[in-house]
Amino acid sequence: MKKDIHRYEDIINMPRPVTKKHPQMARQARAIQFAPFAALTGHKERIVEAERLTTQKKELDASQQEIINRKLQQLLRNIDDCPEVTITYFIADLIKTGGKYITITGQVKKVDSCEKRIVLLNGTIVKISDICQIEILSSSNEYNG
């Protein structure tokens, strides 16, 4: 054991060898090599995700549901005119429980009763069960009510 302690005594206090072929790197340059290292990969992303808020889907009462149903019937009667609507609907979050409400304005291309959805001209598809409010914006008196 004592022999191992004295094994490197002859070189331990010698200066670091310097060559012209491989010049010594500056301390700042050496430090930059280790800057991208992240001990907790994904930690920041998880914190951001935990801070992101979601909203619970509201359950509509019977009168609110009746108003939406009446407006859907109006849309069905006037679908050939591609009425313009503003719809507020719920989109479920893919990661967390809950989701968010989105309001979109566009022209209705089709009300699909079988699939229970509204298709807008811009390609947006809204499930009828996710609608919490719908306003018909077309100027015709037939749409208001």
Side-chain angles (χ1 to χ4, degrees), residues 25-37:
M25 186 181 284
R27 281 185 186 227
Q28 186 173 4
R30 288 174 55 104
I32 289 172
Q33 288 181 337
F34 297 98
F37 176 73

Side-chain angles (χ1 to χ4, degrees), residues 82-133:
C82 293
E84 187 173 16
V85 296
T86 296
I87 302 173
T88 301
Y89 64 102
F90 183 80
I91 294 182
D93 194 283
L94 299 175
I95 299 170
K96 299 170 102 174
T97 58
K100 63 182 175 181
Y101 282 92
I102 293 183
T103 301
I104 187 168
T105 300
Q107 289 183 286
V108 177
K109 178 180 179 180
K110 143 179 165 179
V111 177
D112 189 342
S113 301
C114 294
E115 296 288 327
K116 298 184 176 161
R117 62 188 188 166
I118 295 175
V119 181
L120 300 181
L121 282 178
N122 67 6
T124 303
I125 298 172
V126 179
K127 291 184 351 185
I128 292 173
S129 61
D130 291 336
I131 296 173
C132 74
Q133 185 177 6

Side-chain angles (χ1 to χ4, degrees), residues 1-30:
M1 187 76 117
K2 198 169 194 174
K3 188 176 182 182
D4 288 341
I5 293 173
H6 301 290
R7 191 173 188 179
Y8 297 105
E9 252 181 32
D10 57 335
I11 61 169
I12 198 86
N13 293 319
M14 290 182 70
R16 184 172 191 270
V18 178
T19 67
K20 291 184 180 185
K21 187 175 182 181
H22 300 286
Q24 188 173 2
M25 186 181 284
R27 281 185 186 227
Q28 186 173 4
R30 288 174 55 104

Side-chain angles (χ1 to χ4, degrees), residues 69-81 83 111 142-143:
N69 288 337
R70 238 182 311 124
K71 290 184 180 184
L72 289 171
Q73 292 301 318
Q74 290 173 353
L75 288 175
L76 280 169
R77 284 193 303 270
N78 300 293
I79 199 68
D80 293 337
D81 298 334
V111 177
E142 190 174 351
Y143 297 137

